[in-house]
Amino acid sequence: MRTFILRRVLQAIPLLVGISALTFLLLQLAPGDFLNTMAENPGISVESIEAMRTRFGLDRPWYVQYGLYLKNLVFHLDFGQSFSRHQPVFAVLREGLLNTLLLAVSAAVVTWGLAVPLGVWAAVRQYSWVDKGLSLLAFLWLSIPEVLSGLLLLFFAAKTGLFPVGGMRSLGWDSLDPLGKALDLLHHLALPALVVGMIPLAGRMRQMRANLLDVLRLDYVTTARAKGLDERTVVFKHAVRNAINPLITLFGFTLGALVSGSFVAEIIFSWPGLGRITLDALLTQDQYLVMGSVLMASVVLVAGNLVADILLAVADPRIAYD
Amino acid sequence: MHSTRSRLAAAAMLAFLAWGSAGCGGQQGIAGSTWNDPHPLPTDTMTVPTPEIGRHGGRFVISQTSGPRTFNHIMANETSSADVVDRMYVGFTELDYATDRIYPLLAKSWETSPDGTTWTWHLRRGACFSDGHPITSEDVLFNFELAYDEKLHPSIQDLLKVDGKEFEVSAPDSYTVVMKIPRPYALMVPAVGALKIMPKHRLEAAYRSGDFASAFNVATAPESIVVSGPFVLKEYVAGEKTVLTRNPYWFGVDAKGQRMPYLDEVIYLIVPDQEAASLKFQTGEVDAIDNVKPSDYSTYIDGQKKGNYTLYDLGPGMSTNFFWVNLNTVKEPKPGKKVGAPYTDPVRYSWFTRREFRQALSKAIDREAMIRSVFFGDAVKNWSTATPGNKTWYTPEAAGLDYDPEGAKALIAGMGWRDRDGDGIVEDELGRTVSFTMKTNGDNVARVALANFVRDDLSKIGIRCTPVPLDFNTLITNLRQDFQYESILLGLSSAVPPDPMMGQNVWKSSGLTHYWNVGQKKPGTEAEARIDALVADNVATLDLEARRRGWREIQEIVNREGYFIWLPTIVVKLPVRNKFGNLQPSVLPHRLLWNIDRVFVKEGGTPA
């Protein structure tokens, strides 16, 4: 198991280098650079722009810039400086990353917390109105774009006053006791987590349903029923445990999808995560900040897949990594 | 280290106490106030013009689409940072948006030598930074050193040079600063006022070690960010909010001698989505919004009573909309390009260089219809970077060529162009169909709508114009680096103060924002040579009337030549909660916060 993990971590290195090279290349191919927006200001002269270009190293050929970036990253774990914030990239991204992970993990709880039980319910009541109703709902939600569902929920929050209109904390957060702080955070988290968590919900639910239906047709389930076990035990103790394996594999991918899915919700709900920093950085071509956030999102994806593999081994004793 | 610093601070405070007693003495908080002034007032207080005497307490919450990127005034380049840091630092002078006059701030007064080349400034005695350290000429010299630093090259540097030469700045004593310049400079007062004073005693070490650019960044502990302005940073939470609170040593007072600012806190909530910001305003979480689309004005008007707010009508804004055709020629020898050759297609260039053609374009645009349909009636015609909203520089006499479709057709026919093949589009004298593309940034919905409107109007005089919405960065690259475009629709917004010479790079033929033909070595046309001469005169003249005459001629030339084809300018309306006093929204940035140091929460308004 340990060698497996080590191998996977080592495999991730060329992958991340590849991702960073590709990102860098794409940024170079995009027209203009960070100083473009500044050049728009009639009060700033050509000399000022050129001086800044030299200061940021943007006057050097792209392979030199990338080489230096990689060298600093590998030898000093230095992600470079953000042009616009005059701050190390890692410092800019750290908090955003934590907030995005908080949102993504809560969304994952929403997805799995709903997908598994609803999928099971739909499977055991196949073709009933429950099954059909759930399918309908799932597909309805699947076809509403995240932007729209986000805005609708925000509108709902504003009209009813049941939830805060975006943001992560109330203005008076600092004066709350620890329990109040946690509750306030949860209150703010609920709607964005719902919006993000609902994206993969339909797919996961259908998957759970299909898997369980497959398993329920297997001989050992018939045997269990023939033994006279009650249906509850048959489904939950025997069938579901086997049916859930493919979903665990999907967990890793879904975590990645949730991180990127949260980017849109972050903007609508004023959630201070990685998404907004990345968007800002992309629009202003703050190149090392873009690189840093792409790399961090990739690390989350790779780590999510690794976690999924480990979970799989835990859930299924037949799977062993040497 | 820490104890030394606090001892120093204590010593400074003692010295300060002794000093302050010679002044007006401390003020007790007034009834209803939640704040007691802990420090004595300085000798030279600054009486801030306030329509009403206010009371201390309360807060003002505003939304921002993105947060500040630095708290270092000299390094702040974008509005999201400027909106915040402009409240935290002050310079020698400031513009009163309500009267459009410059008033003394950190400088109590100043004199000019008769030839206009020596300026002597007197600093306010007893003015202090937010840590109680006095602001002296030492700090001013340090800030000039920062501004002139070649490696930092802050954007303010260009404004603080005359004919490319730095000012000679010296400090005969702690409260006097003398500046020598080679010739009279019209922008002297606003230029010096734009340099906001940052504390030498907190920043010199960082500067000498080459770390100035990252000093006072958003990760710096708020208590170590020492400022000269009315507000000091209390808290910054990345992506969430920025909270400012009063600088306890600020030297501004109201007419009753109470220390300003009145508000306990100014809070900038970061709300990236405009719809979300509007909902936050409706729920009362936000007190004001500083950017509303004309299509939403009527919704805001309807909700005024229920939401207990007012939608202020600020009149015509300072931002402009216009388009121009590409007259750029190759300036430096490049592979495959001859110097003097046009960047755009030579056939189109031959049309673009004809003044009648550009005049026809201007006459083809039905601006009144545009105001009705694109701006929902909330816009006015505009013919200059000094819009009708510009109190000092708006020149109604210098209007351009307005809607006259018959006149436009006559100009087209006069060039020998007519529709030869009956497709509704004219052909030029050599039979080539007259068509061109118009680029604009696609993320700006209003500009795309304007471009579509221009297309329709031009088709009515037989010219085919195809709008091309683009990513902003691509557009700027086309505009500035490769000049690969036929025409561009864009806008410019005004500087503060809105003196047209603050944007002289638009008019000078050598300027980087002389869009139609950027960075000319020498003026390519007689008209541009005349503009160059007028600009040079204008910045070297101190007489306002003479400067206004020169400015009028510049606008007349630009409009006669049709270098810019002007489109209407939006009428700005902003909603603000009714509980605030002394609020004087203005079209200049920051429209709501420019005088936030004197805004207060009225009696009956909830103070928190």
Side-chain angles (χ1 to χ4, degrees):
Chain A
M1 189 70 172
R2 194 173 297 161
T3 46
F4 167 76
I5 296 176
L6 192 70
R7 206 171 62 221
R8 287 287 296 269
V9 170
L10 287 178
Q11 276 169 353
I13 293 172
L15 182 72
L16 292 175
V17 171
I19 292 173
S20 74
L22 200 62
T23 315
F24 199 85
L25 201 67
L26 286 173
L27 280 172
Q28 294 299 317
L29 287 175
D33 59 30
F34 172 70
L35 299 165
N36 260 0
T37 17
M38 217 163 280
E40 223 346 61
N41 182 344
I44 301 182
S45 71
V46 200
E47 293 79 39
S48 300
I49 302 283
E50 286 316 311
M52 274 187 263
R53 188 158 279 136
T54 316
R55 181 152 63 90
F56 292 140
L58 289 171
D59 52 344
R60 284 184 258 186
W62 70 270
Y63 46 86
V64 176
Q65 291 182 40
Y66 181 65
L68 281 174
Y69 176 73
L70 216 55
K71 196 184 110 201
N72 287 333
L73 184 59
V74 173
F75 293 108
H76 310 287
L77 263 181
D78 175 6
F79 285 83
Q81 286 268 330
S82 155
F83 296 152
S84 64
R85 295 161 201 258
H86 310 287
Q87 244 188 309
V89 162
F90 189 73
V92 177
L93 294 177
R94 195 179 40 212
E95 244 166 87
L97 183 68
L98 288 179
N99 293 341
T100 294
L101 282 179
L102 176 65
L103 179 56
V105 169
S106 316
V109 171
V110 171
T111 309
W112 262 267
L114 289 174
V116 173
L118 291 179
V120 171
W121 194 18
V124 295
R125 301 275 169 83
Q126 197 187 4
Y127 303 134
S128 69
W129 64 268
V130 172
D131 185 19
K132 286 177 187 155
L134 283 175
S135 303
L136 184 72
L137 270 180
F139 283 101
L140 263 181
W141 194 267
L142 192 69
S143 46
I144 300 178
E146 199 184 341
V147 184
L148 184 63
S149 58
L151 279 175
L152 284 175
L153 281 181
L154 209 57
F155 193 67
F156 166 79
K159 284 291 150 194
T160 61
L162 292 176
F163 289 95
V165 189
M168 186 164 139
R169 284 175 268 244
S170 301
L171 274 179
W173 199 75
D174 290 319
S175 55
L176 296 173
D177 56 74
L179 181 69
K181 283 185 178 175
L183 286 177
D184 185 63
L185 195 61
L186 273 179
H187 197 199
H188 282 83
L189 188 58
L191 292 186
L194 190 64
V195 168
V196 180
M198 291 296 259
I199 313 166
L201 176 65
R204 298 298 164 271
M205 192 179 98
R206 298 295 293 174
Q207 220 133 18
M208 185 67 219
R209 174 181 175 277
N211 290 341
L212 187 59
L213 283 176
D214 280 348
V215 173
L216 283 175
R217 280 190 209 104
L218 291 179
D219 289 344
Y220 80 93
V221 175
T222 319
T223 313
R225 282 190 182 127
K227 268 199 316 194
L229 289 180
D230 66 299
E231 191 63 17
R232 230 187 155 69
T233 320
V234 172
V235 172
F236 288 100
K237 198 146 181 229
H238 297 277
V240 170
R241 276 202 73 170
N242 282 312
I244 212 163
N245 269 3
L247 261 88
I248 295 176
T249 319
L250 281 169
F251 179 80
F253 294 110
T254 315
L255 194 64
L258 287 173
V259 167
S260 49
S262 64
F263 280 19
V264 174
E266 279 174 15
I267 293 180
I268 296 171
F269 286 96
S270 324
W271 189 264
L274 206 55
R276 271 168 47 201
I277 302 173
T278 312
L279 182 69
D280 252 16
L282 261 176
L283 290 177
T284 53
Q285 304 213 359
D286 195 338
Q287 68 183 24
Y288 298 116
L289 197 53
V290 177
M291 299 280 293
S293 67
V294 169
L295 278 180
M296 290 209 184
S298 312
V299 168
V300 171
L301 185 64
V302 170
N305 282 331
L306 183 59
V307 170
D309 284 338
I310 296 168
L311 281 181
L312 207 55
V314 174
D316 188 342
R318 286 172 303 180
I319 299 173
Y321 307 109
D322 53 300
Chain B
M1 176 69 201
H2 183 258
S3 69
T4 332
R5 193 186 296 159
S6 51
R7 220 178 299 144
L8 273 176
M13 205 136 99
L14 273 178
F16 188 68
L17 281 170
W19 192 353
S21 58
C24 318
Q27 273 290 325
Q28 288 304 307
I30 52 155
S33 162
T34 53
W35 180 71
N36 285 305
D37 196 343
H39 305 295
L41 291 168
T43 320
D44 285 337
T45 50
M46 151 89 204
T47 308
V48 181
T50 48
E52 270 182 85
I53 299 288
R55 55 179 193 141
H56 289 117
R59 69 185 188 197
F60 189 90
V61 186
I62 191 161
S63 67
Q64 245 193 332
T65 49
S66 74
R69 297 183 180 157
T70 176
F71 296 112
N72 182 329
H73 196 278
I74 288 194
M75 301 317 294
N77 272 315
E78 67 296 295
T79 48
S80 59
S81 302
D83 288 351
V84 178
V85 295
D86 282 351
R87 322 274 87 76
M88 295 168 60
Y89 302 92
V90 291
F92 276 15
T93 63
E94 197 145 273
L95 182 73
D96 183 353
Y97 290 6
T99 57
D100 209 29
R101 292 242 163 76
I102 287 175
Y103 64 94
L105 202 61
L106 202 52
K108 183 173 55 176
S109 61
W110 61 89
E111 300 100 51
T112 325
S113 64
D115 64 351
T117 58
T118 306
W119 293 67
T120 310
W121 306 79
H122 306 284
L123 297 188
R124 226 168 263 284
R125 280 172 196 265
C128 282
F129 286 110
S130 57
D131 60 349
H133 195 283
I135 306 176
T136 64
S137 53
E138 283 277 296
D139 295 292
V140 179
L141 294 182
F142 175 65
N143 279 274
F144 268 95
E145 193 178 349
L146 293 174
Y148 289 135
D149 187 284
E150 271 315 310
K151 263 177 88 183
L152 290 173
H153 211 111
S155 50
I156 189 162
Q157 192 177 102
D158 302 317
L159 199 56
L160 293 174
K161 283 183 175 176
V162 173
D163 300 332
K165 283 191 211 70
E166 296 175 3
F167 302 176
E168 260 176 63
V169 189
S170 58
D173 66 58
S174 296
Y175 292 97
T176 313
V177 177
V178 178
M179 298 175 195
K180 289 202 168 88
I181 48 176
R183 59 157 172 83
Y185 180 36
L187 299 173
M188 188 68 180
V189 178
V192 172
L195 181 69
K196 310 289 178 195
I197 303 303
M198 296 181 66
K200 180 183 182 185
H201 67 289
R202 299 308 289 257
L203 289 167
E204 192 175 20
Y207 176 57
R208 304 286 169 225
S209 62
D211 296 328
F212 180 78
S214 54
F216 284 7
N217 70 32
V218 291
T220 310
E223 55 278 10
S224 45
I225 297 180
V226 170
V227 302
S228 56
F231 287 96
V232 56
L233 180 68
K234 184 179 185 187
E235 191 189 7
Y236 167 77
V237 188
E240 286 186 57
K241 62 178 176 181
T242 311
V243 183
L244 301 185
T245 187
R246 70 167 61 79
N247 168 0
Y249 288 99
W250 171 242
F251 53 86
V253 294
D254 63 16
K256 272 173 71 183
Q258 307 182 81
R259 196 191 294 265
M260 314 289 275
Y262 292 129
L263 292 169
D264 286 340
E265 286 178 351
V266 178
I267 302 176
Y268 302 76
L269 269 192
I270 300 167
V271 187
D273 185 75
Q274 244 189 331
E275 310 298 332
S278 158
L279 286 174
K280 270 187 183 291
F281 178 76
Q282 281 164 30
T283 55
E285 210 178 323
V286 167
D287 291 318
I289 296 191
D290 78 333
N291 188 13
V292 179
K293 290 177 289 195
S295 53
D296 294 341
Y297 287 171
S298 62
T299 323
Y300 276 106
I301 287 175
D302 295 343
Q304 285 185 118
K305 209 166 213 147
K306 202 170 144 244
N308 200 15
Y309 64 85
T310 305
L311 185 73
Y312 287 85
D313 184 343
L314 311 185
M318 292 296 214
S319 59
T320 54
N321 297 295
F322 53 87
F323 69 89
W324 71 94
V325 290
N326 187 357
L327 299 176
N328 280 283
T329 51
V330 180
K331 311 286 181 327
E332 304 282 346
K334 269 184 211 167
K337 296 260 182 200
K338 270 203 307 212
V339 174
Y343 273 106
T344 192
D345 164 53
V347 174
R348 293 199 170 89
Y349 181 75
S350 71
W351 307 331
F352 293 167
T353 46
R354 298 170 84 152
R355 192 208 294 174
E356 306 94 293
F357 174 72
R358 301 191 301 258
Q359 289 177 335
L361 295 181
S362 189
K363 286 187 176 189
I365 311 294
D366 185 353
R367 293 172 178 81
E368 270 154 39
M370 204 175 237
I371 291 171
R372 280 195 304 274
S373 66
V374 180
F375 298 102
F376 300 86
D378 284 306
V380 294
K381 288 183 194 174
N382 172 53
W383 306 102
S384 166
T385 49
T387 69
N390 191 323
K391 293 192 184 87
T392 308
W393 297 97
Y394 169 55
T395 321
E397 305 83 16
L401 299 167
D402 204 354
Y403 185 50
D404 174 14
E406 292 316 310
K409 282 180 194 156
L411 282 169
I412 296 284
M415 292 189 290
W417 297 3
R418 59 190 168 83
D419 184 10
R420 291 159 212 263
D421 52 11
D423 63 351
I425 308 295
V426 297
E427 278 77 35
D428 70 1
E429 63 276 22
L430 295 172
R432 297 166 303 202
T433 307
V434 180
S435 74
F436 62 91
T437 57
M438 178 171 290
K439 292 183 173 177
T440 192
N441 52 321
D443 57 353
N444 189 321
V445 184
R447 282 188 196 153
V448 175
L450 288 175
N452 284 324
F453 207 95
V454 169
R455 174 197 59 202
D456 293 348
D457 275 351
L458 292 186
S459 77
K460 287 174 197 151
I461 62 160
I463 292 173
R464 183 187 290 144
C465 164
T466 315
V468 184
L470 284 176
D471 160 63
F472 187 69
N473 276 310
T474 314
L475 184 71
I476 299 300
T477 306
N478 290 159
L479 174 66
R480 218 166 259 291
Q481 282 157 23
D482 60 17
F483 307 105
Q484 294 305 301
Y485 67 90
E486 287 157 17
S487 73
I488 286 183
L489 190 152
L490 209 67
L492 277 172
S493 41
S494 178
V496 176
D499 187 311
M501 291 306 121
M502 294 283 279
Q504 51 179 292
N505 280 328
V506 176
W507 311 118
K508 276 195 296 197
S509 63
S510 58
L512 198 60
T513 36
H514 188 76
Y515 292 128
W516 65 87
N517 193 358
V518 172
Q520 303 173 48
K521 293 233 161 70
K522 54 176 202 258
T525 61
E526 253 176 64
E528 283 167 295
R530 178 69 190 143
I531 296 176
D532 280 4
L534 285 165
V535 169
D537 263 4
N538 208 302
V539 290
T541 308
L542 297 177
D543 175 36
L544 187 65
E545 273 322 300
R547 292 192 61 209
R548 285 170 54 97
R549 275 195 302 278
W551 169 234
R552 175 178 168 174
E553 195 183 337
I554 293 173
Q555 297 171 84
E556 281 166 350
I557 297 173
V558 170
N559 290 342
R560 186 180 65 232
E561 294 292 326
Y563 288 136
F564 281 161
I565 316 289
W566 299 98
L567 303 175
T569 277
I570 190 173
V571 167
V572 183
K573 294 183 185 177
L574 298 177
V576 191
R577 218 59 72 191
N578 288 335
K579 65 179 174 187
F580 298 101
N582 282 347
L583 205 78
Q584 293 175 292
S586 155
V587 285
L588 279 169
H590 188 287
R591 302 162 176 183
L592 295 169
L593 298 181
W594 71 271
N595 69 343
I596 194 70
D597 57 328
R598 51 211 95 151
V599 169
F600 67 99
V601 178
K602 284 194 270 201
E603 230 41 81
T606 36

